[in-house]
Amino acid sequence: MENRCFIILMLLLKFYACSAQQSEILYPAKEWDHISDKEMKEWNASKLSKLRKYIIASSNTTGMLVIYNGKILFEYGNISDNSYIASCRKSILSMLYGAFVEKKKILLDKTLKELGMDDIGGLLPIEKMATIRDLLTARSGVYHPASNPGDATAMAPARGSVEPGSFFLYNNWDFNVAGYILEKETGLNIYDITDSILTKPLMFQDWNRSIQHKTGDSTLSKYMAYHLWFSTRDMARIGYLMLRKGQWREKTILSSDWVKLITTPVTSYEETVSNHTNYFDFSYGYLWWIWDNHVKNKFYKGGYTASGAFGQFITVLPALDLVIAHKTNYDDYGRNTPTETYLRIVEKLFRAKTN
């Protein structure tokens, strides 16, 4: 009897501890809160000031928001302006797939052949054996021209020379077709899916459905690029959902298993270097770039990022309980913040942490 009471007591203590821990997690309401003076003591204000000066002097950043423990630590520029997020769209696509994969509405190992997929000029028989999973990990082996530029197809092997799943190449054809398949398999428009799964539950502040549209050259490929226009502070909500492993208050938007899957390396940094296809110095998961063992800074442990041309980033750093949303408005100003400059911004942010 005493043993049974002890076990029940321990289970109750564990339950209340978990509940208390969950209640400490903060989520934004209509607006993000700013961190308190007490929390600010964990950061060096002088070094944060130097970070701001560096951004002004050495980058073309137009908006940046750093969320620490669910509150704003650092803010720069215009964080409410909607603009083009470039290839960050791809990481968001991997999030959108989650609910449909788990409900088995989409089967990741279904092939292009089974889906009845083809393209201008035809796909090769070996290319049609690529799966949805191969597309989401940039390992399809399909090197048909994409409808839009901005990838690594200049490094592509000859068509038909690579078995699907065996070789990584950052290839817009894969990503555009993955967007098309999401619509095909669900019967829904990709922007409506974005609206229902992300923008409404996360209470986006600046989402404008009317400006979202696809682009591309239909003479090259019939699969268009599903571009997105987000604000910096709404990008931060995307990152924060990922940081919280798919949980948003009492609602599970994405399962923690799906978040773990898409942010676990499929292609290592070493592999991309050895086959000369390293588009960035990161590993690659399911449309997310991932910091791997070659990065020694402890704050990068478990970290990953969405990355888009001209300086768009959604970076999640679980080791710091921190999210960085970084925007460079290319639409209005034609600006560009290179990845190298952004990574220096991140390193300078790290230096401001006092412990």
Side-chain angles (χ1 to χ4, degrees):
M1 183 66 181
E2 289 181 359
N3 287 340
R4 182 179 296 177
C5 291
F6 177 77
I7 292 170
I8 292 172
L9 176 62
M10 294 303 294
L11 288 172
L12 286 171
L13 288 173
K14 184 177 181 180
F15 171 78
Y16 286 120
C18 291
S19 298
Q21 185 179 19
Q22 182 66 28
S23 66
E24 291 171 4
I25 295 175
L26 300 176
Y27 290 90
K30 290 184 178 180
E31 300 279 349
W32 289 96
D33 290 331
H34 288 77
I35 68 171
S36 65
D37 291 339
K38 181 180 179 181
E39 292 168 305
M40 193 63 206
K41 291 178 182 178
E42 300 176 27
W43 296 85
N44 185 305
S46 175
K47 289 183 178 179
L48 287 176
S49 178
K50 288 180 180 178
L51 168 62
R52 184 177 300 277
K53 290 176 181 177
Y54 175 81
I55 291 171
I56 294 169
S58 303
S59 79
N60 287 312
T61 304
T62 55
M64 180 170 162
L65 197 60
V66 180
I67 304 299
Y68 176 63
N69 291 340
K71 298 180 183 178
I72 295 175
L73 165 68
F74 181 90
E75 181 179 340
Y76 173 82
N78 187 338
I79 63 169
S80 63
D81 187 31
N82 276 317
S83 64
Y84 174 63
I85 66 169
S87 289
C88 286
R89 69 182 175 104
K90 298 162 188 174
S91 302
I92 291 167
L93 178 65
S94 74
M95 298 170 70
L96 299 181
Y97 259 85
F100 301 108
V101 171
E102 298 208 324
K103 292 175 183 175
K104 300 190 184 304
K105 194 158 190 177
I106 296 179
L107 303 176
L108 291 182
D109 295 317
K110 207 169 187 178
T111 66
L112 297 180
K113 182 178 179 180
E114 290 170 326
L115 290 161
M117 305 286 291
D118 213 334
D119 206 346
I120 294 169
L123 296 179
L124 302 174
I126 189 174
E127 293 176 329
K128 290 186 178 182
M129 298 313 296
T131 65
I132 299 173
R133 191 187 306 276
D134 295 331
L135 297 173
L136 294 177
T137 55
R139 301 179 73 92
S140 75
V142 181
Y143 306 128
H144 186 287
S147 65
N148 64 308
D151 59 11
T153 52
M155 295 182 278
R159 286 188 66 183
S161 66
V162 172
E163 289 282 343
S166 67
F167 189 85
F168 171 81
L169 186 82
Y170 188 78
N171 176 12
N172 277 343
W173 192 90
D174 287 9
F175 312 133
N176 295 344
V177 172
Y180 172 87
I181 291 172
L182 178 66
E183 292 187 327
K184 174 182 170 65
E185 294 295 276
T186 63
L188 301 169
N189 179 279
I190 195 166
Y191 299 120
D192 293 335
I193 296 172
T194 303
D195 199 19
S196 63
I197 292 182
L198 296 177
T199 69
K200 286 179 179 175
L202 273 54
M203 298 172 62
F204 271 30
Q205 294 173 260
D206 307 301
W207 167 252
N208 184 345
R209 173 67 175 80
S210 68
I211 66 173
Q212 315 299 324
H213 62 275
K214 300 171 186 175
T215 67
D217 183 345
S218 60
T219 66
L220 296 175
S221 170
K222 63 183 183 182
Y223 304 111
M224 297 294 100
Y226 49 93
H227 289 301
L228 289 165
W229 283 257
F230 283 172
S231 69
T232 307
R233 60 186 179 182
D234 287 342
M235 290 164 69
R237 289 177 186 251
I238 290 286
Y240 198 66
L241 174 67
M242 292 293 288
L243 179 68
R244 295 299 171 226
K245 300 179 181 178
Q247 193 73 22
W248 198 265
R249 299 184 184 277
E250 297 80 22
K251 187 173 182 180
T252 299
I253 308 295
L254 307 172
S255 77
S256 59
D257 288 342
W258 183 253
V259 172
K260 182 178 180 180
L261 175 71
I262 64 178
T263 59
T264 297
V266 175
T267 302
S268 70
Y269 165 75
E270 289 77 13
E271 181 181 346
T272 66
V273 170
S274 64
N275 65 23
H276 308 291
T277 60
N278 54 318
Y279 201 61
F280 292 121
D281 289 339
F282 303 101
S283 300
Y284 202 69
Y286 284 65
L287 307 183
W288 285 88
W289 296 99
I290 301 161
W291 275 283
D292 210 345
N293 294 331
H294 75 287
V295 181
K296 302 304 179 185
N297 190 313
K298 65 180 181 179
F299 293 139
Y300 283 119
K301 185 176 180 182
Y304 47 91
T305 192
S307 175
F310 313 117
Q312 329 305 326
F313 299 93
I314 305 171
T315 298
V316 181
L317 297 167
L320 271 175
D321 200 36
L322 185 142
V323 169
I324 306 168
H326 181 280
K327 174 73 75 66
T328 306
N329 186 334
Y330 181 79
D331 294 337
D332 296 332
Y333 308 111
R335 292 183 175 185
N336 175 41
T337 300
T339 301
E340 295 75 15
T341 301
Y342 173 68
L343 293 178
R344 283 194 285 272
I345 288 172
V346 175
E347 289 290 337
K348 288 181 181 296
L349 175 64
F350 289 165
R351 291 174 197 167
K353 189 75 173 68
T354 57
N355 51 49

